[in-house]
Amino acid sequence: MRIGENESQPSALGRRGFLGFGLGAAAAAVVPPVLLTSNSAEAAAFGGMARRLSLHNVNTGENFNDVFWADGKYRPDALKRLDVLLRDHRAKQVHRYDPRLFDVLWQIQQRLDSQETYQIVSAFRSRKTNALARRRSRAVAKESYHTRGMAVDVVLPDRSLHAVAQEAIQMAAGGVGYYARSGFVHVDTGPVRHW
């Protein structure tokens, strides 16, 4: 299933859920975009480009392939659709995502010269879903950035996990976790750290 511009949102989310994240997406549209580079030539090259992401949620089979930032601002319609794509599908909850995370993912792709679709292994988790995940794995944080709409676990099929993790670490834009055994890289917009 594709989360597209002309498609309706999943009905299980409810009217209040849509109003909440819709207002959040509108507010996020005024957040200034982030270019995470200390290289002035790279900043000049990336600065005015429209930013497109292609994401595939491996848990729901849904896709997003669209521009989320153009003409100096975030596109509220795209942010709203990204929030739905990255929802907690178990709890049927949508959360407004930090749009800076999309900038980070976009810039990793630019730096790695990749056109592939990100595979989303894990995204937003409700507190209940996070608690269940903690019972299964000690690696899940009690105050996970997944519960705040600030983290995703990803795979970029045409690049190694190590390459993705190294680019994210070099950008120093937040947290980066390299989970070689589990087969994904965690990226978040929390404090700069890596493991």
Side-chain angles (χ1 to χ4, degrees):
M1 177 178 185
R2 179 175 167 3
I3 300 290
E5 290 180 355
N6 298 321
E7 295 178 12
S8 64
Q9 309 298 339
S11 60
L13 297 173
R15 184 175 172 190
R16 270 195 325 198
F18 283 120
L19 290 174
F21 85 82
L23 291 172
V30 298
V31 174
V34 177
L35 266 185
L36 307 161
T37 182
S38 57
N39 179 326
S40 59
E42 190 175 85
F46 291 166
M49 293 175 67
R51 299 178 194 169
R52 171 181 288 274
L53 278 175
S54 180
L55 307 173
H56 172 74
N57 186 322
V58 301
N59 300 295
T60 65
E62 297 168 339
N63 299 297
F64 173 91
N65 185 359
D66 204 352
V67 172
F68 67 92
W69 185 90
D71 302 321
K73 61 187 177 201
Y74 292 105
R75 294 182 56 203
D77 62 314
L79 295 182
K80 192 173 178 179
R81 288 182 289 125
L82 283 162
D83 291 342
V84 172
L85 178 80
L86 301 175
R87 72 191 179 279
D88 180 337
H89 65 281
R90 289 175 184 88
K92 295 181 174 63
Q93 288 184 16
V94 172
H95 192 282
R96 182 175 55 90
Y97 252 80
D98 180 351
R100 296 174 303 162
L101 186 63
F102 308 132
D103 292 320
V104 171
L105 293 175
W106 177 82
Q107 196 165 344
I108 290 169
Q109 273 193 307
Q110 298 305 304
R111 292 168 67 126
L112 290 174
D113 192 29
S114 171
Q115 301 298 314
E116 280 291 317
T117 297
Y118 275 107
Q119 305 299 300
I120 305 297
V121 176
S122 181
F124 173 67
R125 290 187 211 130
S126 66
R127 295 256 176 218
K128 183 177 179 180
T129 299
N130 199 64
L132 288 171
R134 277 179 54 80
R135 284 195 278 270
R136 288 188 214 125
S137 172
R138 291 181 299 162
V140 176
K142 183 177 182 179
E143 294 300 320
S144 170
Y145 284 95
H146 286 277
T147 66
R148 302 175 193 183
M150 297 171 65
V152 289
D153 298 338
V154 298
V155 175
L156 193 55
D158 66 339
R159 297 294 182 264
S160 71
L161 294 175
H162 183 262
V164 172
Q166 286 304 305
E167 285 302 325
I169 289 167
Q170 287 177 13
M171 288 168 55
V176 180
Y178 177 39
Y179 293 93
R181 220 180 287 171
S182 299
F184 63 83
V185 175
H186 168 97
V187 180
D188 71 49
T189 53
V192 176
R193 68 224 186 278
H194 63 88
W195 59 96

